[in-house]
Amino acid sequence: MAFAPVPRASVSDHVFGQLRDAIVSGRYRPEETLPGERELAAAFEVNRHAVREALRRLQQLGLVRVSQGGATRVLDWRVHAGLDLALSLTQSGDVLPVETLVRDMLEMRACVGTDAARLCAERGDPAATAAVVRAVEEYAALAPDLPRMAEANIAMWRLIVSGSGNTAYLLAFNSLVAGTLAVGEVPPDGRAAELLDVAGHRRLAAAIAAGQGAAAAGHARALLTAPVTTPATPSGREARA
């Protein structure tokens, strides 16, 4: 396979990116062996250290396995990779070859957020739940400025997920909000139905503050499953209060 020589700046990044894309796109199949370090260094016109660093990063993402004797075998990303792969691709402007990935990530977001809201209501201490209530009012005060509301919305959900006491949910949340939901970009006006529902957010905060787990989960799911649209929201649209 022919690879394009890379510029001298960020050499390892370019090697890593080209190999990653070749694996994710299926040009290298699972269990196929990558060329050796010397061959890759010659193909990319870089030194072997850059190739070695790129292979190390591929292994960390679950894309390859370095076998005894130095052979590097391709792994099936659908079995071995995690959300870090989606983040890596987003940061480079690429996406996974899955047509429904944005939808899939939004569904995951809804699942995590719904249960985190329930747990925050049931486990959160008074200081944590009071912080959620304040964050909702700070978010509400920004209506109808969608970009600023979106930023405040992330801060609010971070408090809810932290208040849930679930470290796995917090790590998943970090992945979901990095690089704009990890895949592509869902602009704030595409989430207008969710972001402009100030009343829904206040109901969520009230349920959390009252320790009502089931109600908090219901309000969270209603918000996080609101329709995602592509047209821009007309300026001057009022928030639902």
Side-chain angles (χ1 to χ4, degrees):
M1 178 178 294
F3 292 104
V6 298
R8 288 303 167 203
S10 304
V11 168
S12 180
D13 288 343
H14 286 276
V15 175
F16 163 75
Q18 288 194 54
L19 288 173
R20 177 203 59 205
D21 291 352
I23 292 169
V24 171
S25 66
R27 283 182 281 158
Y28 279 112
R29 309 295 298 173
E31 294 305 316
E32 191 173 347
T33 303
L34 288 181
E37 285 184 11
R38 189 185 303 275
E39 187 178 347
L40 287 171
F44 285 114
E45 298 183 10
V46 300
N47 60 47
R48 292 180 67 175
H49 174 76
V51 171
R52 197 172 297 119
E53 173 63 18
L55 293 176
R56 182 189 66 79
R57 292 171 63 187
L58 292 171
Q59 187 168 20
Q60 288 177 336
L61 285 181
L63 296 181
V64 301
R65 178 180 62 247
V66 179
S67 306
Q68 236 178 0
T72 302
R73 293 192 178 277
V74 174
L75 298 175
D76 187 342
W77 63 265
R78 293 171 178 81
V79 176
H80 297 278
L83 287 176
D84 285 348
L85 174 59
L87 292 172
S88 169
L89 287 160
T90 299
Q91 290 162 2
S92 69
D94 296 334
V95 293
L96 284 169
V98 179
E99 292 181 359
T100 60
L101 190 55
V102 172
R103 180 207 67 186
D104 298 345
M105 297 297 283
L106 288 170
E107 288 176 351
M108 179 180 175
R109 170 178 173 266
C111 290
V112 170
T114 296
D115 201 48
R118 176 185 67 82
L119 291 174
C120 185
E122 295 173 353
R123 296 176 178 172
D125 59 38
T129 57
V132 170
V133 173
R134 287 195 301 271
V136 168
E137 291 308 314
E138 290 170 3
Y139 136 85
L142 298 173
D145 187 334
L146 284 172
R148 295 181 68 196
M149 292 180 80
E151 292 180 10
N153 190 260
I154 289 175
M156 178 206 76
W157 277 107
R158 184 175 296 282
L159 289 171
I160 292 173
V161 177
S162 296
S164 76
N166 188 306
T167 302
Y169 283 173
L170 183 59
L171 296 176
F173 173 84
N174 290 339
S175 293
L176 287 167
V177 299
T180 315
L181 296 176
V183 284
E185 182 173 349
V186 180
D189 60 351
R191 294 172 50 222
E194 172 194 346
L195 292 175
L196 291 172
D197 189 358
V198 172
H201 284 82
R202 283 177 169 149
R203 286 192 292 269
L204 169 61
I208 289 174
Q212 299 170 348
H219 294 315
R221 175 159 291 278
L223 289 168
L224 296 174
T225 57
V228 174
T229 56
T230 51
T233 303
S235 59
R237 176 175 172 178
E238 295 299 325
R240 286 187 283 154

